[in-house]
Amino acid sequence: MDFFTPEALTALLGVIGIDLVLAGDNAIVIGMAAAGLPKDQRAKAILIGVIAATVLRIIFALAATKLM
């Protein structure tokens, strides 16, 4: 489990770059889900959605890098 070799870091950066380009739909889904909530809950739902999407994105990027 060497994530800090030059090859692994290059692969990780590539996966993260591709993932960020394709992640625009997360913002749309979070916005649609939060649109129906009251104003005081909307900000909390957006924050939780962004944090969850970011954590999952990092976990999946690490897994994809390991598989490469």
Side-chain angles (χ1 to χ4, degrees):
M1 301 223 6
D2 259 345
F3 287 117
F4 299 110
T5 64
E7 295 83 14
L9 290 175
T10 302
L12 177 62
L13 289 175
V15 170
I16 289 173
I18 291 169
D19 191 44
L20 288 175
V21 169
L22 298 174
D25 62 337
N26 285 347
I28 294 170
V29 171
I30 292 169
M32 287 173 44
L37 295 174
K39 188 166 180 79
D40 58 332
Q41 291 180 345
R42 192 176 306 151
K44 186 176 180 181
I46 291 172
L47 180 64
I48 291 171
V50 168
I51 290 171
T54 303
V55 168
L56 287 172
R57 192 174 298 133
I58 291 169
I59 291 170
F60 292 145
L62 287 172
T65 301
K66 186 64 179 170
L67 291 173
M68 293 172 95

